[in-house]
Amino acid sequence: MSAPTPLVVLTGFLGSGKTTLLNRWLGERGDLAVIINELGDIGIDQDLARKVGAPVSLLAGGCVCCAVQGTLRTTLRNLYMARAAGDLPAFSLVLLETTGAADPFGVVSVLEQDPWLRKRFSLRSILTTVDAVAGEAALARYPEALEQVTAADRLLLTKVDRVDGAARQALAEALARLNPDADVVDAAAVDATVLDRDFPRRCRITGVLAPLSGVMSASISPMAPSTTPAGRGHALQPAGLRWRGRIAYEQLQAALAALRAAAGDDLVRLKGLVAIEKLDGPLLIQAVGAQPLEMTPLPAWPGGDEDSRLVVITAGDDPAVPRKLLADWGRRLDMGSLDMGSLDMESATDSPVMDEDGG
């Protein structure tokens, strides 16, 4: 049997720039197979992944660290068998982009616990993106962000150009306290050669599977969450909406402002592709928390699917919150007057509640 195919985990909290990095690396090398994990049932990142001939697989409906572990096993097996049969390009590395809520250790456990996969795939590294603008707030509020930082072999700072030098230095120093074994580097300066570096793996029980350095507490870093309720896991609720029909740009702006106002501080992530009047391609909509909304016109619909879709992720325990936001969105846009076909609202409300280690 040939040597195991290396696998790199690209993780990082919601909106921290994973897909941007993924696209850059896909443009720099052609030997990758890509797996993209989406928290909700409606995938957007897969459509935004650069089309360069690399096989791209979507794992939707929950975090790969817990809810769709079995799907990851099947996907890796299918990739291996399709390559062996000559049905896929001869990729030499698998790059897995996790959801922004994933615990990387849950991903790693899939490889560690499956004997068939363990012989054919080996974990090379865990790369974690950290938003230089929102990273401090995310680490203070969300255990998922902390898990991703402490699991990293290398920490990649994104959106560095949006903060001053003092803020960047403070964040880098805090990250170094949380994970002193991981380099903290500017993601803009990192090319695809980072995927070729191997890092030593260690047992999580006796020395952690990735460089998790000690037990995190507020005494180690002021940004570590001060309290985490026992038995709790992902307190992040996704919902997605898909529809057909174009809307006016001014109407979209008003609806987005209303949605963000209604969500308040509980809005974690907003992402969508929306058909706008007088535009051939969709408008890519992105927002992270209270950061300024980003709207980018795309020249054409990715993947040939011209349905508009919007994904909302909120903080909290109530899965009805993001669904209500999208229901209000539909009423505000008077979707009944559009040539909708069928409206499809989806969420991951059936995903199990996970504890800290499993989430």
Side-chain angles (χ1 to χ4, degrees):
M1 181 180 294
S2 59
T5 300
L7 183 144
V8 173
V9 175
L10 176 61
T11 190
F13 198 64
L14 295 157
S16 61
K18 298 183 293 296
T19 304
T20 299
L21 269 180
L22 170 64
N23 275 328
R24 188 199 311 163
W25 293 340
L26 282 172
E28 292 175 5
R29 56 191 296 172
D31 64 332
L32 305 179
V34 177
I35 301 173
I36 296 176
N37 182 210
E38 296 269 24
L39 186 59
D41 291 322
I42 294 180
I44 292 178
D45 284 351
Q46 182 193 29
D47 289 331
L48 298 179
R50 187 167 174 165
K51 304 302 181 183
V52 291
V56 178
S57 303
L58 175 66
L59 305 182
C63 273
V64 70
C65 65
C66 44
V68 293
Q69 280 192 340
T71 308
L72 175 59
R73 292 187 180 94
T74 300
T75 298
L76 287 171
R77 287 171 180 264
N78 288 345
L79 284 173
Y80 182 90
M81 300 304 291
R83 181 183 60 181
D87 296 331
L88 288 178
F91 60 87
S92 60
L93 185 145
V94 176
L95 180 57
L96 168 60
E97 179 192 345
T98 74
T99 76
D103 173 4
F105 292 116
V107 178
V108 171
S109 68
V110 173
L111 297 180
E112 292 296 307
Q113 296 171 7
D114 189 308
W116 191 93
L117 292 179
R118 193 166 57 240
K119 293 178 181 179
R120 293 163 176 83
F121 295 93
S122 62
L123 179 67
R124 169 167 284 176
S125 63
I126 299 173
L127 308 176
T128 299
T129 55
V130 180
D131 184 335
V133 178
E136 183 173 354
L139 286 166
R141 184 174 183 181
Y142 303 108
E144 295 87 351
L146 189 63
E147 290 168 344
Q148 292 157 5
V149 166
T150 55
D153 294 310
R154 178 165 287 183
L155 294 161
L156 309 176
L157 284 184
T158 62
K159 308 179 187 178
V160 171
D161 57 334
R162 303 184 191 181
V163 298
D164 59 30
R168 180 198 183 284
Q169 184 63 27
L171 178 59
E173 290 174 357
L175 293 173
R177 290 194 297 273
L178 288 169
N179 188 347
D181 294 323
D183 297 334
V184 181
V185 297
D186 185 347
V190 176
D191 62 22
T193 59
V194 70
L195 303 176
D196 295 325
R197 179 177 173 185
D198 287 291
F199 290 84
R201 307 260 63 85
R202 291 171 285 167
C203 172
R204 187 176 186 183
I205 302 301
T206 60
V208 297
L209 201 52
L212 174 59
S213 300
V215 178
M216 296 297 103
S217 69
S219 63
I220 295 177
S221 168
M223 298 194 317
S226 56
T227 59
T228 301
R232 289 279 301 281
H234 297 327
L236 298 168
Q237 307 298 334
L241 182 68
R242 184 187 292 267
W243 73 93
R244 301 185 191 94
R246 296 178 179 272
I247 59 178
Y249 179 70
E250 295 77 11
Q251 191 180 18
L252 173 70
Q253 285 184 307
L256 287 170
L259 186 154
R260 299 188 79 187
D265 292 339
D266 288 335
L267 182 63
V268 180
R269 185 74 165 123
L270 175 67
K271 195 167 191 175
L273 291 168
V274 179
I276 302 296
E277 292 178 357
K278 301 179 182 179
L279 285 183
D280 293 331
L283 193 65
L284 171 62
I285 300 167
Q286 300 190 80
V288 179
Q291 291 186 42
L293 187 70
E294 298 179 11
M295 293 193 287
T296 307
L298 301 183
W301 285 87
D305 181 354
E306 297 190 9
D307 283 358
S308 293
R309 51 245 196 220
L310 189 70
V311 174
V312 175
I313 301 175
T314 58
D317 297 321
D318 188 356
V321 170
R323 292 178 64 85
K324 181 180 183 301
L325 290 171
L326 290 180
D328 291 344
W329 167 275
R331 286 191 291 270
R332 188 173 299 276
L333 293 179
D334 190 22
M335 287 184 167
S337 67
L338 295 174
D339 181 17
M340 296 282 296
S342 60
L343 182 148
D344 182 19
M345 179 177 286
E346 303 176 7
S347 75
T349 55
D350 293 332
S351 297
V353 176
M354 286 70 67
D355 61 19
E356 290 180 61
D357 289 336

